[in-house]
Amino acid sequence: MERFADFYQRSIEPQTRDGFWQEQAALVDWHQKPVQICDYSNPPFARWFVGGQLNLCHNALDRHLAKRADQAALIAVSTETDTEKTYSYRQLHAEVQRMAAVLQSFGVGKGDRVQIYMPMVAEAVFAMLACMRLGAIHSVVFGGFASLSLASRIEDAQPKVIVSADAGSRGGRVVAYKPLLDEALKLSSHKPQAVLMVNRGLAPMDLRAGRDHLWTDLRSKYMEAQVPCTWVESTDQSYILYTSGTTGKPKGVQRDTGGYTVALAASMPHIFNAKAGQTFFCTSDIGWVVGHSYIIYAPLIAGMATVLYEGLPIRPDAGVWWSLVEKYRITHMFSAPTAVRVLKKHDPEYLRKYDLSSLQALWLAGEPLDEPTAQWISDALQVPIIDNYWQTETGWPIMTLCNGVEQQSSKFGSPGKAVYGYNVKLIDDKCGQELTAPNEKGVLAIEGPLPPGCMQTVWGDDARFVNTYWQSIAGKQIYSTFDWGVRDAQGYYFILGRTDDVINVAGHRLGTREIEESISAHAEIAEVAVVGVADALKGQAAMAFAVVRDASKVSDAQQRARLEAEVMKLVDSQLGAVARPSRVLFVTALPKTRSGKLLRRALQAVAENRDPGDLTTMEDPAALVQVKELLHSWV
Ligand code: ATP
Ligand code: MG
């Protein structure tokens, strides 16, 4: 086996890069082979596998039929409706063709947009794959969003058809989607030609004659539908997906077809050590990039079974995911630190009750994985816990420990090393120079071209793509991740926070993440967010908002003062007094996005008495209200 260091080098050197990706392209079925691997004649726009023609749905389904038609492809589990259904590759192929025929009957064809606003049900997967089959572009909007977020995405993507459902359900509470969709359609100036509704029988729906249709009615007309795959150019768009909106207005990430298919296909052996016939369980939502790539496309491209799970990780109890691992002999699991922190509040015995011997490893992504959380889940599961760092923009991991020897040497708190294909750099944000010595802090950046699978541009806005992400440094085009990090002497990276969140205390630049990591080492702290707040004396001061494990321990002012002093002392001893938060405030919840990321910008704005801006992606508005009240009570 080639050493990873050589494999990596080959993937990024301009002389060997094309050969490297040509090899990876062989993992994919092409209708027409590419004539050029990478066209980077118009930087920063990279065109991968130029001249190649393929179909993503063909690669995910059709090509497996000869060998594994009766093997499980999709295992749809809902602990909200108490249903479980397994679709074989043959059955999934049939359902996708029915869905494709229905979409076609509304006039959907190559290049048309279809918006998918759905809970975690199998029909959402049919719809996404059906779009790929027709060469249409999907735009999946997370089902937890309400009408305003939905309306802005309808305006932006201009879908011909919207596919939705009567309702989703979360923790046993039904959330009706149709009224939110109707409201969004009123707010939006763009009107789709048709709305296709999946009726789960959870909430009543008003159907508008002429516009709204029921999936079950139309499906029955197309039971035997055979819809051939539309071959598209490698560089034709596959989908649009909006970033999480943690730092501001979400960006519509536009993805190609060939580069994405190859990148995902290659990631299965090289990152996940995954093979056909195994079972992948990614606990994300189809509305996020992790869900697009690792609930749906990558496992199916690899000929695996994939688990689609609707429900909470702790209902009916905190053992539910692990019971699925036992039942379906799940080999690969992918989740987020936020989910592990939820589990961590429960007895680890729940995880040990089941036979987890099939499980090879657990990958976690989406936000920093703090050491105590990593240690807890590692002890409970006894499998490698592998942090991986990426973005909606990239579509697949930028940093992790790739398959092979490297996974044995993980360092908690680090997502590992740069993944093949990504020419990762650290840039000094003041002088714009590349930092090459170990342990220097800088902005994490990627030298162009971005590897296959990454965003092509911002949907409908090339200028925004160039202006937002790219800068020219010493004649090279450099993509900024807007994350702040450091690399140690062994090449392991540590993410220190977002560049927006860097705190400048009396000229010292500190990542919020560093301070958070230090505070979360305190046994009584369950979760913490640190923000920089304007300070007349020091420029900025760190302020911490902490959730304690046991609220009764901070019920009076004296207890709070004790714990606050302890936390400050801990930071002093680990990072030095310069990083010490000016205040540690105790709250019961932190403001987060719907995908579980801390909304530090909102905390910071409230702490500085500013307008917190666009909060449409916020999960629980009460968390911010609490912070406001707290700040006012001690000011
Ligand atoms: P927006 O770009 O709209 O502000 P967002 O950056 O939260 O939202 P995503 O693309 O969902 O949108 O998230 C990517 C970001 O999440 C990364 O840039 C990084 O800040 C954070 N992140 C993801 N994985 C990790 C990880 N393993 N460790 C630390 N941070 C991570
Ligand atoms: Mg981002």
Side-chain angles (χ1 to χ4, degrees), residues 14-301:
Q15 304 82 348
T16 48
R17 184 174 64 213
D18 281 5
F20 176 92
W21 284 109
Q22 187 161 21
E23 271 170 37
Q24 309 311 320
L27 295 165
V28 161
D29 266 12
W30 296 91
H31 177 65
Q32 200 57 256
K33 289 249 183 311
V35 293
Q36 187 184 7
I37 300 303
C38 182
D39 169 14
Y40 198 48
S41 58
N42 178 26
F45 299 93
R47 298 169 70 236
W48 284 97
F49 308 112
V50 181
Q53 286 182 358
L54 77 169
N55 183 287
L56 181 41
C57 182
H58 167 88
N59 274 283
L61 295 179
D62 302 53
R63 70 162 170 161
H64 298 307
L65 291 175
K67 249 191 176 165
R68 53 188 87 256
D70 296 315
Q71 177 193 305
L74 177 67
I75 302 167
V77 178
S78 170
T79 50
E80 299 289 335
T81 56
D82 272 324
T83 49
E84 276 183 41
K85 183 162 180 175
T86 298
Y87 297 83
S88 66
Y89 270 92
R90 190 199 314 280
Q91 288 166 328
L92 185 57
H93 183 246
E95 290 292 355
V96 168
Q97 291 191 87
R98 290 167 195 146
M99 183 63 85
V102 171
L103 293 177
Q104 231 172 10
S105 75
F106 297 136
V108 172
K110 190 162 173 277
D112 291 328
R113 271 83 58 212
V114 174
Q115 194 159 37
I116 299 173
Y117 176 59
M118 299 275 274
M120 294 283 284
V121 291
E123 289 81 358
V125 180
F126 306 163
M128 290 169 75
L129 287 163
C131 289
M132 295 304 103
R133 197 167 190 86
L134 298 172
I137 300 168
H138 62 62
S139 165
V140 180
V141 177
F142 174 54
F145 281 135
S147 36
L148 208 60
S149 316
L150 186 56
S152 70
R153 287 159 177 78
I154 295 173
E155 290 272 351
D156 196 53
Q158 312 255 312
K160 197 172 222 176
V161 173
I162 297 181
V163 186
S164 188
D166 58 334
S169 177
R170 195 174 149 78
R173 201 170 54 87
V174 169
V175 183
Y177 282 23
K178 187 64 172 34
L180 298 174
L181 175 60
D182 286 340
E183 180 62 25
L185 285 171
K186 248 187 245 157
L187 291 171
S188 163
S189 63
H190 173 80
K191 311 291 176 200
Q193 288 173 19
V195 173
L196 182 65
M197 298 300 302
V198 172
N199 188 2
R200 310 176 71 196
L202 294 179
M205 287 192 282
D206 286 333
L207 293 183
R208 208 171 101 180
R211 185 194 71 184
D212 299 350
H213 307 265
L214 283 175
W215 158 241
T216 37
D217 291 353
L218 297 178
R219 177 178 177 272
S220 60
K221 286 197 201 163
Y222 294 104
M223 289 308 283
E224 305 305 322
Q226 293 199 349
V227 180
C229 289
T230 301
W231 303 115
V232 302
E233 294 295 321
S234 172
T235 50
D236 281 340
Q237 297 100 316
S238 56
Y239 66 76
I240 309 165
L241 178 63
Y242 297 85
T243 60
S244 301
T246 311
T247 53
K249 198 174 179 311
K251 301 162 278 273
V253 167
Q254 175 187 316
R255 190 102 59 217
D256 75 351
T257 303
Y260 186 58
T261 309
V262 171
L264 294 186
S267 75
M268 295 316 260
H270 301 317
I271 297 178
F272 295 97
N273 189 18
K275 296 176 190 68
Q278 297 180 321
T279 303
F280 207 100
F281 177 18
C282 171
T283 71
S284 179
D285 191 282
I286 52 161
W288 310 126
V289 67
V290 172
H292 279 56
S293 294
Y294 293 105
I295 297 175
I296 303 178
Y297 294 119
L300 294 177
I301 289 170

Side-chain angles (χ1 to χ4, degrees), residues 515 519 530 541-544 564 567-568 571 577-584:
I515 308 176
I519 296 176
V530 169
M543 189 183 276
E564 181 170 21
V567 166
M568 289 180 175
V571 176
V578 59
R580 180 199 307 160
S582 61
R583 288 299 318 254
V584 183

Side-chain angles (χ1 to χ4, degrees), residues 243-251 289 364-369 387-393 415 481 483 495 498 513 595 597:
T243 60
S244 301
T246 311
T247 53
K249 198 174 179 311
K251 301 162 278 273
V289 67
L364 297 169
E367 34 156 1
L369 175 62
D387 188 0
N388 57 136
Y389 159 83
W390 43 303
Q391 307 185 301
T392 308
E393 288 87 341
T481 63
D483 288 312
I495 316 290
R498 294 165 186 269
R513 165 87 196 279
S595 52
K597 291 160 191 278

